[in-house]
Amino acid sequence: MTIQTKPPQERFKAGDIVRYGDGVSALFRYTGTHNCDRLYGVHVLGGIHSACDMMFYDLRPASAEDLAFCRLYRPEWFD
């Protein structure tokens, strides 16, 4: 896990695709809503998701491979 010095709402902006852990579907599109250190957004496979930089999550920008996966499942995110 990477130790972050800035809170997630300062590292990401609304519309960013964020990876919150390992695994192919650990991705969501940040909606701009946050509560303290927790970000809220739409999960790549559907539904609402929230994550923070604590314990089980390591929030980081989506990689090129992540973006390709998202384009397949959520093409509307790229319109």
Side-chain angles (χ1 to χ4, degrees):
M1 177 182 270
T2 306
I3 297 186
Q4 300 293 341
T5 56
K6 290 184 180 179
Q9 63 270 23
E10 290 181 19
R11 297 192 331 263
F12 302 104
K13 65 184 184 321
D16 284 352
I17 299 173
V18 179
R19 172 164 282 289
Y20 62 87
D22 296 331
V24 71
S25 69
L27 297 159
F28 70 104
R29 186 173 186 233
Y30 175 40
T31 61
T33 306
H34 68 275
N35 181 6
C36 294
D37 62 349
R38 185 166 288 278
L39 299 183
Y40 292 84
V42 180
H43 194 273
V44 68
L45 297 180
I48 303 299
H49 186 76
S50 70
C52 61
D53 275 330
M54 298 176 73
M55 224 156 127
F56 302 111
Y57 299 122
D58 180 16
L59 301 179
R60 57 194 183 271
S63 69
E65 288 176 334
D66 294 336
L67 294 175
F69 179 80
C70 289
R71 279 185 199 281
L72 223 87
Y73 287 91
R74 289 296 189 128
E76 70 275 14
W77 287 1
F78 299 92
D79 290 340

